[in-house]
Amino acid sequence: MCTDDRVVPTLPRVAVFFVGNRLQLDDGAGPALYDLIEERFTPHPNVSLFDAGCLTAGMAQEVGRCDVLITVDCADQPGERPGTIFRYRPDDLRRREGGMVSLHDMGLADLFDIAALMGYRAEGLCLGVQAQNRSPAQFVEGLTPEVHAALPRLFEALSAELAGRGVPFTDRVTGRPVTGPVLAAD
């Protein structure tokens, strides 16, 4: 949560939700990046990381605890090359038409709408990587080669957002704040 005792009050409190289903190939891009970060980087005390899986309404409360909410997910933009990185605002996302069958059907725009109805106001930002296959015929864990190769660029986009807000990751190997590229593409 964004309520750590080490939080620096003059810097923004940031929550990062890594969204996706690990068993749906490229839909698991968010959790794959979460795993990569957990292996090698330490977040700033003002940054909370969540392996969010599928979004739920309970996550709206985190919007109330933070100044900035960043989601990392796969994207599905027709005509775009797999592995393309996108940066967009929640209002740029499609809103669900009709009712949801379950709160697990929630999209990112729905999460921010629910948070706003609850009176929470956090800046929202979404980072996505274009999927090649996010709906395999069978459950399959892993990413397609194009999306896997894009993870370092997706990390760079996220780390640049955090560093620009004064709350960078720390590289556990070097002990230094991450302010530029540190991962090599496979």
Side-chain angles (χ1 to χ4, degrees):
M1 291 188 193
C2 290
T3 55
D4 189 316
D5 290 340
R6 299 170 296 146
V7 168
V8 179
T10 57
L11 294 173
R13 294 165 300 152
V14 181
V16 183
F17 287 168
F18 297 86
V19 181
N21 185 338
R22 293 175 183 274
L23 299 177
Q24 294 288 317
L25 278 177
D26 293 340
D27 191 53
L33 184 59
Y34 175 87
D35 292 345
L36 186 146
I37 291 168
E38 284 289 303
E39 289 174 13
R40 180 157 172 202
F41 303 98
T42 302
H44 187 278
N46 284 41
V47 177
S48 298
L49 307 179
F50 297 91
D51 182 356
C54 299
L55 292 174
T56 67
M59 294 173 181
Q61 290 183 345
E62 196 59 40
V63 179
R65 293 184 183 105
C66 294
D67 304 304
V68 180
L69 176 65
I70 300 173
T71 58
V72 178
D73 198 359
C74 73
D76 192 10
Q77 298 292 325
E80 295 291 341
R81 291 186 53 205
T84 301
I85 306 298
F86 299 97
R87 179 185 188 276
Y88 43 94
R89 300 277 177 209
D91 285 341
D92 297 334
L93 300 169
R94 258 189 336 247
R95 284 184 164 64
R96 186 169 306 282
E97 294 180 19
M100 289 184 268
V101 175
S102 154
L103 287 178
H104 296 286
D105 291 339
M106 182 182 319
L108 297 176
D110 301 316
L111 173 64
F112 281 95
D113 289 346
I114 289 170
L117 287 172
M118 296 171 72
Y120 301 144
R121 303 281 185 259
E123 176 188 350
L125 174 65
C126 306
L127 298 172
V129 58
Q130 176 66 34
Q132 179 175 22
N133 185 341
R134 61 180 279 196
S135 299
Q138 297 178 332
F139 289 129
V140 178
E141 189 168 357
L143 303 173
T144 59
E146 293 86 350
V147 173
H148 184 266
L151 287 180
R153 288 182 285 119
L154 186 58
F155 174 77
E156 287 176 22
L158 175 60
S159 64
E161 290 292 337
L162 295 176
R165 295 168 191 279
V167 291
F169 287 113
T170 299
D171 187 321
R172 289 190 198 132
V173 174
T174 66
R176 295 186 183 133
V178 176
T179 58
V182 292
L183 299 174
D186 289 339

